[in-house]
Amino acid sequence: MDANLTTYSYVAITDGVISGLGTGTPPANAIQLPEGAAIYPGLIDSHSHAISLFVPTINDSTGNPFWLNLASVNVMLQPLCPPPSCPPQQQNCTVQSNSCFSPMTTQDQVINVLKNAKPNALGWVLGWSYEPSRLSCNNASYGFLCPNNFENANSQTALAQMDAIRDDVPMMVTSESGHIVYVNTKGLEQLNLCLPGNGSAKCYAPIFSPQAEQCVAKQGQLNEDLAVYAVSYILGLMNTHMRTQEDPLPVFRQLITASTQKYSQLGFTTVQEGAASSDVIAIYLAVAKAAPLPVRMAFLNFIQQPLSGSTYQKQIAIAADLREGLAHSDMFLAGIKLFADGSNQGYTGAMTSPVQYTNVNKPFTDTACFPQQPYNGEADMDANSLSQAVQWSHEKGLPVFIHTNGNLAQAHSISALTGNSQAGIRDVIVHFTMPTQEQVQSVAKASSIGVTFLMNDFYYYYQPLCEQLLQPSGTANMYPAAWAASSGLHMGLHSDTPVTPPSPLFSMWVASSRSVQAPAWMPALLPECQQNRSNQLISRLQALKAYTSDAAWLYNRDAPSKGVTPIGSLQNQYAGDLVVFSADPLNPATDLSTVKVLYTVHNGKIVYSDPTGSNPLIWPN
C-alpha cells in the first residue's frame, strides 16, 4: 500500500528499508507466498498498554498465578476453557486458568472466585479485569442494576463489599477499563496511600482531584492515578518476589517479551506503551538490550506528578532529553501522556449538557466526596491545566496525547490543543469517544491534531453505555469514524489493551460493520439502541489506513525526515516493515475472522513466520 494504493507483486528490502517494489516477476531469491496471500505495511498500534497484556499469566515461585482472571472479554486471545462442572450446591462456578479463557458472566461468579481463592505468594488475593457493566445477576438483569456489583456504592461501599468477601488477607480487584481499582480494608492499609490518618512521608498522594479521590479511596475505590499506582505497586512486589541475582527484572521481562511477541504474531511492527513512567521506559531498554524486541516501541511518557510547582516542567525536560537519547534505537518517545478524564463505563468520564449519566444506580452521590450534584463525571485536568501542560510540552518540542472519553473532557482537550498549536508538532486526542460533528470538523481544520478511536469498546460496551449509562442520545455517534474520514481527519483505531484484545483485523471488522457483542448471559439489545448502532460506518480500506499510513501520521513518521525512517507505507526508503496475510483483508469477500498472519517483517527481518497458516487463530468474539 502506498499513497496511490498501487498493487505490487514483490517487495525488496535492503539494510532494513524498502529498496524496491515490482509489478513483474519476483526475483529468484524471493520468498514465495501462497496463492491469495497479501502483503501490507507492518501494522501500527496507535494506543495500548502492552506491558499489561499478560499480567494474569505470571506465576509465582510455587507455579501458581499471582492474579485471578475476572475478565468477561478474551483480551489475551486465549483458547476457550472446557465448560466447568459445577457441584449441585454451586451454580456460579467457573474455570480459573491462566492458559485458557472462561468468561465471567455473573457478579456471583466473581464473588465466589474471590471468596474461595487461596492467597498468592505475596499473601494477597488479586483479581484482574473485573467489569461490572457487563455482568448479569440472577434476576435476568445486568450491569448497574445488579445490587452487589462493587461500583454500586449507593447500596454499599466497595470497601464494605470487599470486606464481606474477604477480611482475612489484603485483596485488590482491577477493572477492565483500567481506571478503577477496588480494595478491602487490609489491601487499603498495605498500599500506603496518603489518606487522613496516614502520616507516612513516603505515602502516595493522588494528583487528580485529590479531595474527591481521597474520599472515595477511603470507601475502597481507587480512581485514576491511584489505580495506576496500586497496580504498579503490586507488579513491583511480584518482581521483587521473583527476582534473582542473575535476573533483576524477571516479571517485567516476561510481560514485555510475551506481549511484544503476541503483537508481532498479529502483524504489528510498531507498538505503543501508552502511559509509561520513566522507570517503565528504562525497564524496556534493559529488556531490549538483553534480547531485541520483535517490534518498534513508541512510548507515551506519563508524568505522575502534580502540575503545580517546578517538578512537572523538569520531568518534561527530562523526557525531551530521553527522546533525543532514543533517536538511534528501535524505540522512540512519541509524546507526553495527559489524562483529561476517566472511563465512561466507570462513570468517571467528564460529561456536560446535553449528555447526562442516567440515574440507574448511579454511584458517586456522596456529597462529602462530590459536593456538586447531580454527579456527571470528574475531570482529571480542566482546560486551563491541559493548556498549561500542552504549552510546556510544546516548548520542549514534545507532542501530547490526551486521553478523553466524556464530552466535557473532549471540549477541554480541543480548546487546549487548538489554543497552543505549534509548527511541526502533531498532537493526538486519544479515544475521542463522543464529539459533535462540529468538533470533529474543528479538529480537522486545525490540521495538526489527529485522533484515535477505541473501536473495540463499541463492540463490547455499547450495550451498557446505551441502555444504562448514557442513553441512546448520548451514544448515537460514539467513535465517529465516518465523520473523521469525511473531514480528512487523520485517525487511528486501537485496542487500549488490556481493555480489549489487540486484534487489528477484529477492530477493522468492528469499524466496518459497527457490530455489537450479544453475549448469551446478557439480554437482547433494546430496539432504541439498535437504531443508532450502524451510524459511523467506514470502509475496510479506511480502517486499514488507520493501522498504517494514518497511524504513521499520528507519530509524525509518515514521511522522510532527518534521522527518522518513515513507516506505514510500501515505498522506497520506508522501513522494511511488512505483514503478510493469508488472504486480502480489503477483498469484500474475505471473512476477516479467518485471515491469518503468515509473516511479520520488522526492519527487514522475519520476526514471525507461519508460512502454512498452521498456527491456531483466536478471534476475539
Side-chain angles (χ1 to χ4, degrees):
M1 176 189 291
D2 61 14
N4 299 315
L5 302 182
T6 308
T7 300
Y8 299 102
S9 58
Y10 68 88
V11 181
I13 300 174
T14 305
D15 296 330
V17 298
I18 296 173
S19 56
L21 299 116
T23 56
T25 303
N29 62 347
I31 296 175
Q32 299 299 313
L33 301 179
E35 184 178 353
I39 303 175
Y40 282 96
L43 304 180
I44 301 169
D45 167 38
S46 58
H47 186 60
S48 70
H49 307 273
I51 200 171
S52 300
L53 174 57
F54 287 115
V55 166
T57 67
I58 304 295
N59 290 333
D60 61 27
S61 55
T62 67
N64 294 313
F66 283 101
W67 295 81
L68 305 163
N69 190 2
L70 305 179
S72 63
V73 174
N74 191 4
V75 173
M76 295 183 287
L77 298 173
Q78 295 175 312
L80 297 180
C81 299
S85 298
C86 297
Q89 70 276 15
Q90 187 180 345
Q91 297 302 311
N92 285 295
C93 69
T94 184
V95 175
Q96 264 299 310
S97 170
N98 61 2
S99 61
C100 63
F101 177 67
S102 180
M104 288 290 168
T105 62
T106 72
Q107 178 69 21
D108 285 342
Q109 276 183 336
V110 171
I111 292 171
N112 287 336
V113 166
L114 294 172
K115 187 175 291 185
N116 297 315
K118 293 181 179 179
N120 61 25
L122 304 176
W124 284 69
V125 169
L126 300 170
W128 185 260
S129 283
Y130 163 78
E131 181 47 59
S133 70
R134 288 172 42 85
L135 296 175
S136 65
C137 17
N138 292 332
N139 61 358
S141 190
Y142 78 98
F144 298 104
L145 292 173
C146 297
N148 58 345
N149 79 68
F150 304 150
E151 182 80 1
N152 193 352
N154 290 327
S155 299
Q156 199 174 31
T157 66
L159 193 72
Q161 293 182 73
M162 298 286 276
D163 282 344
I165 297 171
R166 298 294 290 263
D167 61 2
D168 56 330
V169 294
M171 184 168 68
M172 185 173 97
V173 173
T174 73
S175 72
E176 211 152 47
S177 73
H179 289 260
I180 298 171
V181 162
Y182 308 94
V183 291
N184 67 358
T185 297
K186 287 191 173 180
L188 188 61
E189 292 169 350
Q190 289 285 321
L191 290 173
N192 193 30
L193 300 175
C194 296
L195 302 177
N198 183 2
S200 171
K202 295 184 178 180
C203 63
Y204 180 82
I207 59 176
F208 300 135
S209 307
Q211 288 183 313
E213 297 310 333
Q214 285 179 328
C215 184
V216 176
K218 289 195 300 180
Q219 299 175 3
Q221 179 164 328
L222 312 181
N223 292 342
E224 303 308 304
D225 66 298
L226 288 184
V228 173
Y229 161 79
V231 173
S232 299
Y233 176 87
I234 295 295
L235 291 179
L237 291 182
M238 291 165 54
N239 193 74
T240 299
H241 172 78
M242 297 296 292
R243 71 184 177 191
T244 63
Q245 189 171 357
E246 293 75 24
D247 187 1
L249 298 170
V251 168
F252 296 110
R253 188 180 312 281
Q254 185 175 340
L255 290 173
I256 291 170
T257 301
S259 66
T260 54
Q261 287 176 348
K262 173 57 74 174
Y263 276 86
S264 179
Q265 292 166 11
L266 294 167
F268 285 103
T269 52
T270 300
V271 174
Q272 186 185 107
E273 190 56 62
S277 66
S278 55
D279 288 342
V280 168
I281 296 172
I283 289 170
Y284 265 96
L285 289 169
V287 171
K289 183 177 181 180
L293 303 180
V295 297
R296 177 183 301 103
M297 288 305 305
F299 298 115
L300 301 186
N301 185 202
F302 173 41
I303 300 173
Q304 214 159 333
Q305 296 285 341
L307 198 64
S308 58
S310 60
T311 303
Y312 198 93
Q313 282 181 277
K314 289 178 181 178
Q315 290 298 314
I316 289 177
I318 292 172
D321 291 340
L322 177 60
R323 191 185 202 195
E324 292 300 316
L326 293 173
H328 300 291
S329 73
D330 204 26
M331 303 182 181
F332 66 98
L333 187 78
I336 299 296
K337 177 66 174 289
L338 304 176
F339 287 90
D341 65 348
S343 72
N344 292 346
Q345 61 261 34
Y347 286 100
T348 55
M351 304 294 175
T352 189
S353 178
V355 181
Q356 172 72 51
Y357 285 118
T358 65
N359 289 316
V360 179
N361 288 339
K362 181 168 64 176
F364 307 137
T365 57
D366 185 349
T367 56
C369 299
F370 301 98
Q372 187 172 344
Q373 295 291 332
Y375 173 85
N376 209 23
E378 187 79 9
D380 291 345
M381 301 175 73
D382 61 18
N384 291 333
S385 298
L386 288 169
S387 182
Q388 182 66 83
V390 171
Q391 180 184 339
W392 286 340
S393 300
H394 284 184
E395 287 172 355
K396 292 296 182 180
L398 294 172
V400 298
F401 287 62
I402 306 180
H403 164 110
T404 75
N405 269 307
N407 65 334
L408 177 61
Q410 283 160 183
H412 288 167
S413 300
I414 293 170
S415 173
L417 293 177
T418 56
N420 292 279
S421 61
Q422 185 166 318
I425 293 180
R426 295 175 183 172
D427 300 307
V428 179
I429 302 176
V430 179
H431 304 322
F432 211 39
T433 308
M434 50 197 314
T436 64
Q437 188 167 14
E438 290 72 24
Q439 286 177 318
V440 172
Q441 292 169 344
S442 71
V443 172
K445 186 177 180 181
S447 75
S448 61
I449 305 171
V451 302
T452 70
F453 295 121
L454 177 49
M455 200 55 66
N456 298 1
D457 186 79
F458 181 86
Y459 179 80
Y460 290 112
Y461 291 100
Y462 175 75
Q463 183 170 1
L465 287 168
C466 181
E467 293 181 349
Q468 293 192 4
L469 284 95
L470 298 173
Q471 302 177 353
S473 60
T475 54
N477 291 289
M478 282 181 65
Y479 304 113
W483 286 347
S486 64
S487 299
L489 183 56
H490 294 280
M491 62 177 170
L493 301 180
H494 70 273
S495 64
D496 203 16
T497 298
V499 178
T500 71
S503 172
L505 294 180
F506 175 74
S507 298
M508 286 177 55
W509 171 71
V510 175
S512 58
S513 67
R514 300 288 281 192
S515 295
V516 174
Q517 191 185 34
W521 64 88
M522 288 175 64
L525 188 66
L526 293 176
E528 54 265 39
C529 292
Q530 283 281 13
Q531 293 173 2
N532 296 321
R533 184 178 62 79
S534 60
N535 292 356
Q536 302 298 333
L537 285 167
I538 59 173
S539 68
R540 288 188 181 185
L541 174 59
Q542 290 168 324
L544 185 60
K545 283 184 174 181
Y547 275 106
T548 53
S549 54
D550 259 11
W553 187 95
L554 300 179
Y555 288 129
N556 211 349
R557 289 177 171 246
D558 58 316
S561 61
K562 184 179 179 180
V564 174
T565 301
I567 58 178
S569 184
L570 299 184
Q571 299 184 56
N572 283 323
Q573 299 308 304
Y574 275 60
D577 291 355
L578 310 174
V579 57
V580 181
F581 292 116
S582 60
D584 188 353
L586 295 188
N587 183 339
T590 299
D591 179 352
L592 294 180
S593 70
T594 67
V595 177
K596 294 186 174 183
V597 173
L598 304 183
Y599 294 96
T600 303
V601 179
H602 176 50
N603 289 335
K605 297 179 180 179
I606 296 175
V607 291
Y608 174 70
S609 174
D610 180 26
T612 62
S614 57
N615 290 341
L617 175 68
I618 308 295
W619 187 250
N621 193 26

